[in-house]
Amino acid sequence: MPISEVGRVRTGRAIALATGLAAAATAYATAAQTGKPGAVQLERLDRGLVAVPAQGGGVLVSWRLLATDPARTAFDVFRNGRKVNPRPVSTSTNFVDRSGATGAVYSVRASGRARGRAEAAVPVWSQGYLTVPLQQPAGGTTPDGVAYTYTANDASVGDLDGDGRYEIVLKWDPTNSRDNAFPGYSGPVLIDAYTLSGQRLWRIDLGRNIRAGAHYTQFLVHDFDGDGRAEMAVRTSDGTVDGQGKVIGDPRADWRGKEGEIPQRDRTGAVTRSDGTMVAPRIGRILSGPEYLTVFDGRTGRALASAPYAPQRHPATSSPTPEQLTELWGDGYANRSDRFLGGVAYLDGQRPSIVMGRGYYGRSTIAAWDYRNGRLTPRWFFDSNQAPEGFGGQGNHQFSVADVDADGRHEIVYGSMVVDDDGQPLWTAKLHHGDAMHVSDLDPTRPGLERWGVHESPSRNGGVGAAMLDARTGAVLWSTQAPNDTGRGVAMDIDPRHPGAEAWGSNSDNLYDARGRVIGSQRPRQMNFAVWWDGDLLRELLDRNQVSKWNWTTGEVTPLLTAVGATTNNGTKSNPALAADILGDWREEVIFRAEDNKALRVYATPYLTEHRMVTLMHDPQYRAQVAGQQMAYNQPSWPGFFIGEGMKDQPRLNPSAR
């Protein structure tokens, strides 16, 4: 499908620090506000003011710096209406009020020539976190008599009502959710929207014909049409009920498998009969029936637009036989064909598009959609079966978006291959499937972006267990060997003595620098998630309900936060509901669910920082990766520039039409 050339821009890859930021941000904001071709769509956010008990005493007050702020903007901080900073805050966007107490309320406003009205006053989060009450759904019973309840699962954020503040969109996971490989009924997936005060805005029931599990439901929250309010896009089917009670499709349809067996060629999820043939039980599996892509209104949950879902199970029929599925995907019981991915990308460099993926073990398909003026329109479709050799079987349990070729438009980093912004194959490294991946400027000593990932098929890729790739070309910069599946791996700057991000994986005890040199025979045992938390530019380890700091001199970790009474999601993945820069300065907040599933907790850092950056949510790559963070195997979000020890001379955000 042809791609419009209008609005292609060169956005650059970074946000400047301190006063170096201001000129870049002003140019960026001016273009964004004009609405002319070349402007990158930004969310219109407020200051995101937050106040928490400070490490060492007093109250830490923290707020956003926006890409729309004039150069050299400084701020004043008020406690109970009285200014508490002796001089304007100009080199950071946080302030510790050493005389502050938890009963106070705080506000902030720009000072000097940029002086404006103060933001609404906020109370101190006395426990260091905000409690967001939830309305836990009632459980139920499947047709075969199995009872289930609900746990709060992955979350996303968006400004659903256009007031400049984020709301939380939360997926409820039934306790009988299923991996694709296994048969059985599951309860329906429910999606709620809440304000930060705990007001539920709506609930969407995806219905009996959407199976529950990590690989089935990727829900995307973003302002897709540019009206200043976020929408939610997700795969639906017959019986989905929107936030206003309206049913999509046939409310009586039940496409779940009831009984019988499916002949099978592979052993994944299959059983072997006495005659040597393999079968997969059919019960609970959804192999046929209509599928839709639906966009819902962020304020009300009302279905705004639906279209037949793409990528499809089968191009000719919504009810393919197991034999047809096997021919297309490699199995007939939807283990491969129902592994979905979803994300957001600025494919024209200007406005966000919906990107949906299906399949990654073998055949891999990706569809890009635009939601504009109340309509869903397909932008392009990629199919590895129609691509050159080597583009099949390269996908991960998630994809990243990044401007890998520096043309101002996002590409889709689909594991070990990249699809260009126009849907054309760009490169494949032929390293095959992997479980975890990080894409950013991980090595600032070389030009461009890098992609770090781990791989589970060393027998097919020359023994590679983990690899750092040039994100522009797919060239392997360095790799580590493994005899079998490398199931975990991360990259982040945790040691200031070495430029760029350090990297490690479960296939080795070594810690590597960004160039692949061994810098230690001990590496952190944590390798699930990452968060910018304390006051320096290094990133911290986030694993289970704990944030920890790597001690590069002793080879040990020091806990900075243990969220007692809160817990994580998705089994051994142990990830939070969300970790992102949703409030305060550029550092990230962490959202955990309470152990009883009655609330979410939003934790904010108590540490003062001297560093000043525009909110990461105004970096298009970071914002897009946050929107896709809840995808299957959740991964931390990265901006399109390097954050870490020694970061300097950041490229200016200076959009220009092409």
Side-chain angles (χ1 to χ4, degrees), residues 174-230:
T175 51
N176 60 353
S177 63
R178 306 283 180 175
D179 185 89
N180 301 51
F182 302 103
Y185 292 105
S186 72
V189 178
L190 307 176
I191 300 177
D192 285 358
Y194 294 90
T195 67
L196 291 181
S197 64
Q199 177 189 359
R200 196 183 80 184
L201 301 179
W202 44 259
R203 171 169 290 167
I204 293 168
D205 182 346
L206 294 184
R208 65 169 70 96
N209 294 308
I210 298 292
R211 210 167 185 229
H215 303 291
Y216 295 101
T217 297
Q218 324 305 337
F219 62 100
L220 307 177
V221 181
H222 205 57
D223 181 8
F224 293 110
D225 60 1
D227 67 353
R229 299 184 299 271

Side-chain angles (χ1 to χ4, degrees), residues 81-276:
R82 182 175 180 178
K83 191 172 77 164
V84 293
N85 54 303
R87 61 187 61 84
V89 180
S90 60
T91 59
S92 70
T93 51
N94 65 172
F95 177 80
V96 172
D97 178 14
R98 294 299 180 191
S99 300
T102 56
V105 295
Y106 287 87
S107 58
V108 66
R109 71 181 178 196
S111 60
R113 292 183 179 179
R115 182 173 178 173
R117 66 179 180 85
E119 293 282 308
V122 299
V124 180
W125 297 357
S126 59
Q127 296 177 292
Y129 61 82
L130 174 69
T131 297
V132 181
L134 300 176
Q135 297 181 31
Q136 186 179 20
T141 304
T142 58
D144 55 354
V146 177
Y148 61 88
T149 58
Y150 281 96
T151 60
N153 193 250
D154 296 331
S156 193
V157 293
D159 182 6
L160 302 180
D161 54 12
D163 64 356
R165 296 188 293 271
Y166 283 130
E167 283 75 43
I168 297 175
V169 178
L170 173 72
K171 180 176 75 171
W172 288 101
D173 198 33
T175 51
N176 60 353
S177 63
R178 306 283 180 175
D179 185 89
N180 301 51
F182 302 103
Y185 292 105
S186 72
V189 178
L190 307 176
I191 300 177
D192 285 358
Y194 294 90
T195 67
L196 291 181
S197 64
Q199 177 189 359
R200 196 183 80 184
L201 301 179
W202 44 259
R203 171 169 290 167
I204 293 168
D205 182 346
L206 294 184
R208 65 169 70 96
N209 294 308
I210 298 292
R211 210 167 185 229
H215 303 291
Y216 295 101
T217 297
Q218 324 305 337
F219 62 100
L220 307 177
V221 181
H222 205 57
D223 181 8
F224 293 110
D225 60 1
D227 67 353
R229 299 184 299 271
E231 294 80 37
M232 193 269 285
V234 70
R235 184 177 65 102
T236 61
S237 186
D238 284 339
T240 294
V241 182
D242 77 2
Q244 300 296 295
K246 183 178 179 180
V247 179
I248 294 172
D250 183 353
R252 298 165 298 180
D254 187 347
W255 297 101
R256 297 173 294 180
K258 304 298 190 299
E259 59 185 0
E261 298 172 331
I262 305 166
Q264 208 39 52
R265 291 199 306 221
D266 64 65
R267 295 186 179 276
T268 305
V271 296
T272 304
R273 295 189 298 203
S274 58
D275 62 1

Side-chain angles (χ1 to χ4, degrees), residues 441-652:
D441 189 1
L442 302 175
D443 182 359
T445 67
R446 63 179 303 277
L449 307 182
E450 293 76 38
R451 174 268 192 205
W452 164 260
V454 296
H455 302 278
E456 67 173 39
S457 301
S459 63
R460 301 172 63 195
N461 68 10
V464 175
M468 185 78 77
L469 308 183
D470 182 322
R472 178 192 288 268
T473 66
V476 177
L477 302 175
W478 58 272
S479 64
T480 63
Q481 297 294 292
N484 45 41
D485 178 1
T486 302
R488 293 286 191 279
V490 291
M492 64 185 90
D493 190 10
I494 60 173
D495 188 334
R497 300 171 299 181
H498 306 276
E502 286 67 51
W504 64 101
S506 58
N507 62 318
S508 173
D509 290 332
N510 291 332
L511 182 63
Y512 299 87
D513 72 2
R515 288 297 178 101
R517 294 172 291 222
V518 176
I519 60 173
S521 57
Q522 278 185 294
R523 46 90 172 158
R525 62 176 180 82
Q526 296 89 345
M527 59 185 82
N528 276 342
F529 227 77
V531 61
W532 281 293
W533 185 256
D534 66 5
D536 61 28
L537 292 171
L538 303 178
R539 212 167 190 187
E540 281 64 61
L541 308 162
L542 175 55
D543 194 4
R544 303 188 183 276
N545 65 341
Q546 192 168 82
V547 175
S548 302
K549 185 78 171 180
W550 176 248
N551 187 322
W552 53 88
T553 59
T554 65
E556 300 173 336
V557 297
T558 302
L560 302 180
L561 167 72
T562 301
V564 177
T567 190
T568 50
N569 296 330
N570 303 319
T572 59
K573 310 303 179 294
S574 300
N575 57 267
L578 184 72
D581 178 19
I582 64 172
L583 290 166
D585 58 36
W586 58 274
R587 292 170 295 175
E588 295 172 301
E589 288 66 51
V590 183
I591 303 179
F592 292 117
R593 63 182 170 98
E595 289 177 337
D596 63 2
N597 293 293
K598 301 296 185 183
L600 294 175
R601 294 182 183 179
V602 184
Y603 287 82
T605 179
Y607 295 92
L608 183 70
T609 183
E610 63 183 19
H611 302 288
R612 167 166 157 146
M613 277 186 271
V614 159
T615 173
L616 298 184
M617 295 297 243
H618 273 178
D619 175 74
Q621 176 177 313
Y622 181 87
R623 184 62 185 94
Q625 289 196 13
V626 167
Q629 190 183 117
Q630 43 70 40
M631 183 189 338
Y633 285 7
N634 314 50
Q635 297 291 288
S637 302
W638 288 90
F641 60 96
F642 173 68
I643 297 179
E645 182 68 20
M647 65 179 293
K648 57 184 178 181
D649 300 324
Q650 299 304 311
R652 292 169 54 149

